[in-house]
Amino acid sequence: GHVVRNWKVRWFVLLQDKLLYYKIEGGKKEPSPKGRILLDGCTITCPCLEYENRPLLIKLKTKTNTDYFLECCSREERDSWALDITGAIHAGHPVQVQELHRMKNSFKLLENISLHHIVERMCDSSTGIKLTRNLEQGNRYKETFTGSALVDWLISNSFAVSRFEAITLASMLMEENFIKPVGARSTEATRYSDLSEQFLDDSTALYMFAESSKKKISSKEELQFNISELSGTIVKQGFLVKQGHKRKNWKVRRFVLRADPAFLHYYDPTKEENRPVGGFSLRGCLVSALEDNGVPAGVKGNVQGNLFKIITKNDIHYYIQASSKAERAQWIEAIKPLT
């Protein structure tokens, strides 16, 4: 919106010289358009990366310098709209239309392209690719980017003119060890022999710079937490929800169960350092499942079901929630022999 900067669903109709948009009421578009965007003199940006949490944007700037941000439902839909709108903008210029279709249907990397230069640009703190923390199948990765985010970035920075070209360029970066896959989704793709299939243009496939994969916390620093507590053999680990002791709120924690010595530690998955935020010895503890009907005494909030309680020998009560009855039973069975 231009007045209130919110996002609303609109029905768009592309004509030869304008883009009309309509309000939707009762699942149907209204008969008269809500507004129009004149395409004469427009410039289009796709992909538009001005909104970090909205990767499916098209930006249209009119010749009067009015900006329109249009969000699509998928990358395929976004690229299809961008191609058709670009064709309408250049409809009166046959040479540009011909060049547009050539770019869409052909593949040609930029001449004398420097992978080192691309990586330098990717690492730029202001204009480079945005690095985020991601969670995949219980594993937390920091300073990563998705495959689709890299493809968008390569196109928006004019290193590629199509997604196919950007995918091949990203595969070259991976083959030359500038970037590396992390997580099951992207590493599984590297099993393919064809270069074009090794890199995934996917929002669930994770990648990182090769040099950033080293742990920033040395094993010596980690063991300073308590060398005896963390020296035990890991018996079981996974994500559970734990009630806090002070605020009585519920937070996701990664629990690690160790034997010899028997300790249960929990970690904050939002923190970068791989250090426990709490833990206790299991010797002398009592562990039991809590009934699913009603809220047990000591439990605050609306969290119900699949709960279990651990009482330490110092009479500290821990309330923990599993994702299912089966998972709760597995944790209780794993903890009991260590008490």
Side-chain angles (χ1 to χ4, degrees), residues 65-125:
N65 290 324
T66 302
D67 291 339
Y68 291 88
F69 294 93
L70 315 177
E71 184 174 34
C72 301
C73 298
S74 67
R75 292 192 302 277
E76 294 78 12
E77 184 183 53
R78 178 195 64 187
D79 295 342
S80 176
W81 270 100
L83 183 71
D84 291 337
I85 292 172
T86 305
I89 292 173
H90 300 313
H93 307 279
V95 175
Q96 290 179 316
V97 174
Q98 186 178 3
E99 178 67 12
L100 180 69
H101 286 284
R102 186 198 67 78
M103 288 168 54
K104 178 187 177 184
N105 299 317
S106 66
F107 169 70
K108 183 181 179 182
L109 280 176
L110 299 174
E111 294 182 4
N112 302 320
I113 195 165
S114 169
L115 297 181
H116 288 277
H117 174 62
I118 293 175
V119 174
E120 287 178 2
R121 289 278 301 276
M122 287 175 65
C123 294
D124 188 278
S125 59

Side-chain angles (χ1 to χ4, degrees), residues 57-338:
L57 287 185
I58 296 171
K59 177 183 177 180
L60 289 176
K61 180 184 284 290
T62 68
K63 64 180 180 181
T64 58
N65 290 324
T66 302
D67 291 339
Y68 291 88
F69 294 93
L70 315 177
E71 184 174 34
C72 301
C73 298
S74 67
R75 292 192 302 277
E76 294 78 12
E77 184 183 53
R78 178 195 64 187
D79 295 342
S80 176
W81 270 100
L83 183 71
D84 291 337
I85 292 172
T86 305
I89 292 173
H90 300 313
H93 307 279
V95 175
Q96 290 179 316
V97 174
Q98 186 178 3
E99 178 67 12
L100 180 69
H101 286 284
R102 186 198 67 78
M103 288 168 54
K104 178 187 177 184
N105 299 317
S106 66
F107 169 70
K108 183 181 179 182
L109 280 176
L110 299 174
E111 294 182 4
N112 302 320
I113 195 165
S114 169
L115 297 181
H116 288 277
H117 174 62
I118 293 175
V119 174
E120 287 178 2
R121 289 278 301 276
M122 287 175 65
C123 294
D124 188 278
S125 59
S126 58
T127 60
I129 192 164
K130 302 297 182 184
L131 301 177
T132 59
R133 298 186 186 93
N134 283 282
L135 191 68
E136 185 192 77
Q137 296 182 345
N139 295 314
R140 183 169 56 87
Y141 303 99
K142 59 183 180 179
E143 295 186 335
T144 62
F145 47 87
T146 65
S148 58
L150 177 54
V151 170
D152 285 349
W153 185 89
L154 290 170
I155 296 173
S156 66
N157 285 271
S158 303
F159 289 114
V161 296
S162 67
R163 301 198 79 81
F164 177 58
E165 188 170 319
I167 291 168
T168 303
L169 186 53
S171 298
M172 292 170 63
L173 291 170
M174 189 167 62
E175 188 180 40
E176 295 297 324
N177 202 35
F178 287 106
I179 63 173
K180 62 176 291 183
V182 289
R185 183 81 174 90
S186 56
T187 53
E188 185 178 347
T190 60
R191 298 174 184 175
Y192 294 101
S193 57
D194 187 357
L195 176 65
S196 64
E197 296 179 345
Q198 290 186 359
F199 181 87
L200 298 178
D201 179 10
D202 194 296
S203 60
T204 63
L206 303 180
Y207 299 88
M208 63 166 42
F209 293 112
E211 68 269 19
S212 66
S213 60
K214 300 175 182 177
K215 284 188 176 180
K216 293 186 177 180
I217 300 176
S218 67
S219 58
K220 182 179 180 180
E221 289 175 324
E222 186 175 349
L223 292 177
Q224 284 176 353
F225 181 79
N226 191 315
I227 191 168
S228 61
E229 291 183 24
L230 300 173
S231 63
T233 304
I234 295 178
V235 176
K236 184 176 178 60
Q237 59 181 317
F239 287 84
L240 299 166
V241 182
K242 172 186 166 295
Q243 180 178 265
H245 288 292
K246 295 180 180 180
R247 296 186 179 181
K248 304 299 181 182
N249 53 355
W250 292 84
K251 292 184 178 180
V252 175
R253 293 291 182 254
R254 179 171 67 88
F255 281 81
V256 177
L257 178 62
R258 293 181 171 92
D260 300 323
F263 273 85
L264 183 63
H265 293 99
Y266 49 92
Y267 299 73
D268 185 347
T270 66
K271 298 248 179 105
E272 291 188 4
E273 65 271 10
N274 189 30
R275 294 165 62 87
V277 295
F280 51 91
S281 171
L282 289 173
R283 295 302 180 191
C285 282
L286 297 175
V287 57
S288 61
L290 297 178
E291 296 295 333
D292 288 345
N293 52 342
V295 180
V299 174
K300 303 296 182 182
N302 295 322
V303 179
Q304 298 182 36
N306 309 321
L307 292 170
F308 64 99
K309 178 170 68 172
I310 301 175
I311 305 175
T312 69
K313 63 180 180 181
N314 298 325
D315 199 33
I316 299 175
H317 293 223
Y318 290 86
Y319 295 96
I320 303 170
Q321 182 187 36
S323 61
S324 65
K325 289 184 179 180
E327 185 183 49
R328 177 177 66 180
Q330 291 169 6
W331 273 99
I332 292 175
E333 291 173 7
I335 292 171
K336 273 186 175 179
L338 302 178

